[in-house]
Amino acid sequence: MSHSKPSESNGLTYADAGVDIDAGNALIDRIKPLVKATARPGADSDIGGFGGLFDLKSAGFKDPVLVAANDGVGTKLKIAIETGQHRTVGIDLVAMCVNDLVVQGAEPLFFLDYFATGALDVETATDVVAGIADGCKQAGAALIGGETAEMPGMYGDGDYDLAGFSVGAVERGAILPRKDVEAGDVLLGLASSGVHSNGYSMVRKIMELAGLTWSDEAPFENGKSLGEALMEPTRIYVKPVLAALRETTGIKALAHITGGGLPENLPRVLPENCSARIDLASIRVPGVFSWLAKTGGVAESEMLRTFNCGVGMVIVVSAGEAEAVSKVLEQAGETVTTIGQIGDAGAEPVLYDSALDLSA
């Protein structure tokens, strides 16, 4: 959008400097109905003010503690940009924030996004915000505000970056993790939808080493290109987990399995006198991870540190309640697998039995 000379002889305009205010206004008009569709008790989801408002009282909370999280999408954005698939990265953006809220027992209330680019493309930005709105609806959060920053010279042609911010609330007595995690508790794994939004720098390196392109057929998923298969959005676990928290009493802790995988995320919710023992053979490893490990020659330990390997959320539950919790989650659409149990403190916070089945 930059020009070689001022558009008028008597002065420079912001458009001459590469910023199109009209495009920004056009984007706001396009996304208003998308934002409105995320309305929920506590937020009317109008946009255009200087700040977004949320009424905790009308959301039904009595003695709430606020929980906040922010995140981005990482280099998965490079695939979106290189393939022109912008419709689902917004879901990833929301998922990375709201899944971090629900592990503390919090219900996501609202979400704000930050979209930065060199020159605003209204179609691309609309697709991105449509995905954000979709993710907000999946999470039950209102999209109450955001920022679109057009910064010529900061980003390459077609590049953009995303950041997301979400706030949730949990009643004071229901904050997780609980302090009664103990040996004998069961570990339930909720299936991931794929790579989610971590490890894409390694994914892109493996693609480069293998000499493949995003348009090549995905060896691990029939009928899809590699670009389409690898853009599968992060699963949002919020509503099923909130249902299980509401309808059962046995959930003691939750861990969102993101960068660092099981060995780095699970210890964050365990007391020092406990360790997690995981039966790796029990995990149903999606084909994408088997393909990445084989194609890149990636060792099992590195796979576990980099990717979710098929488990996007781990639930620590008392043994007597594991069946009831699993039932609620399955009824809400989750694939639940018993992947291990809590033991006394060991040599490492996370210990493994057997090996991942990477043969698929």
Side-chain angles (χ1 to χ4, degrees):
M1 292 185 191
S2 60
H3 303 277
S4 59
K5 62 181 181 179
S7 58
E8 297 179 15
S9 59
N10 64 343
L12 190 69
T13 68
Y14 211 3
D16 292 320
V19 178
D20 190 341
I21 294 174
D22 291 336
N25 291 334
L27 175 62
I28 291 172
D29 289 339
R30 292 279 290 274
I31 66 176
K32 276 183 178 178
L34 301 173
V35 172
K36 194 71 176 175
T38 69
R40 55 150 293 155
D44 61 14
S45 293
D46 282 335
I47 59 171
F50 287 95
L53 303 178
F54 193 93
D55 184 345
L56 274 168
K57 189 173 182 181
S58 68
F61 287 90
K62 296 178 176 62
D63 185 22
V65 174
L66 295 179
V67 185
N70 73 301
D71 212 331
V73 179
T75 57
K76 190 172 188 176
L77 282 181
K78 291 290 289 181
I79 306 178
I81 292 163
E82 290 170 10
T83 62
Q85 299 177 70
H86 307 288
R87 186 57 181 76
T88 57
V89 286
I91 299 174
D92 289 295
L93 184 67
V94 175
M96 296 303 289
C97 296
V98 298
N99 285 342
D100 278 356
L101 295 181
V102 79
V103 298
Q104 295 189 260
E107 174 189 342
L109 303 176
F110 58 84
F111 188 88
L112 300 97
D113 68 281
Y114 175 79
F115 178 100
T117 188
L120 182 60
D121 182 299
V122 175
E123 294 294 332
T124 296
T126 301
D127 279 351
V128 171
V129 176
I132 293 171
D134 189 352
C136 284
K137 285 189 284 186
Q138 290 183 40
L143 179 55
I144 66 170
E147 169 71 3
T148 302
E150 195 173 14
M151 298 187 287
M154 286 288 289
Y155 296 90
D157 187 31
D159 285 348
Y160 62 88
D161 198 10
L162 292 175
F165 311 84
S166 193
V167 172
V170 55
E171 295 292 358
R172 194 173 301 275
I175 298 171
L176 296 177
R178 284 169 24 185
K179 298 186 184 302
D180 59 343
V181 174
E182 60 187 356
D185 289 342
V186 171
L187 297 173
L188 302 177
L190 302 188
S192 67
S193 56
V195 185
H196 283 186
S197 199
N198 294 101
Y200 276 86
S201 293
M202 183 177 282
V203 170
R204 290 166 54 242
K205 186 66 175 178
I206 290 170
M207 292 280 291
E208 179 187 325
L209 293 172
L212 297 170
T213 68
W214 303 124
S215 59
D216 289 332
E217 185 176 357
F220 52 87
E221 193 163 348
N222 292 334
K224 286 188 176 182
S225 69
L226 274 165
E228 289 169 338
L230 289 167
M231 284 301 293
E232 180 68 30
T234 306
R235 189 164 184 83
I236 293 175
Y237 298 100
V238 169
K239 289 184 179 179
V241 167
L242 288 176
L245 288 169
R246 187 171 56 247
E247 297 174 31
T248 68
T249 59
I251 295 177
K252 297 183 177 184
L254 296 138
H256 183 202
I257 308 305
T258 54
L262 288 165
E264 292 188 21
N265 286 291
L266 197 45
R268 295 165 68 178
V269 299
L270 300 180
E272 289 185 1
N273 64 334
C274 289
S275 63
R277 181 168 287 278
I278 295 174
D279 176 14
L280 291 176
S282 68
I283 296 174
R284 304 169 196 173
V285 182
V288 61
F289 297 112
S290 302
W291 177 79
L292 287 167
K294 181 180 178 181
T295 306
V298 186
E300 179 186 82
S301 59
E302 192 66 21
M303 290 295 295
L304 286 165
R305 289 182 63 223
T306 308
F307 301 109
N308 65 65
C309 292
V311 177
M313 184 77 74
V314 174
I315 301 177
V316 182
V317 59
S318 58
E321 289 286 318
E323 187 175 345
V325 170
S326 295
K327 185 176 180 181
V328 173
L329 290 164
E330 286 167 351
Q331 287 174 340
E334 296 302 324
T335 300
V336 187
T337 305
T338 300
I339 63 169
Q341 64 179 19
I342 299 296
D344 294 326
E348 297 289 339
V350 180
L351 304 166
Y352 303 109
D353 294 322
S354 63
L356 282 175
D357 181 5
L358 293 167
S359 62

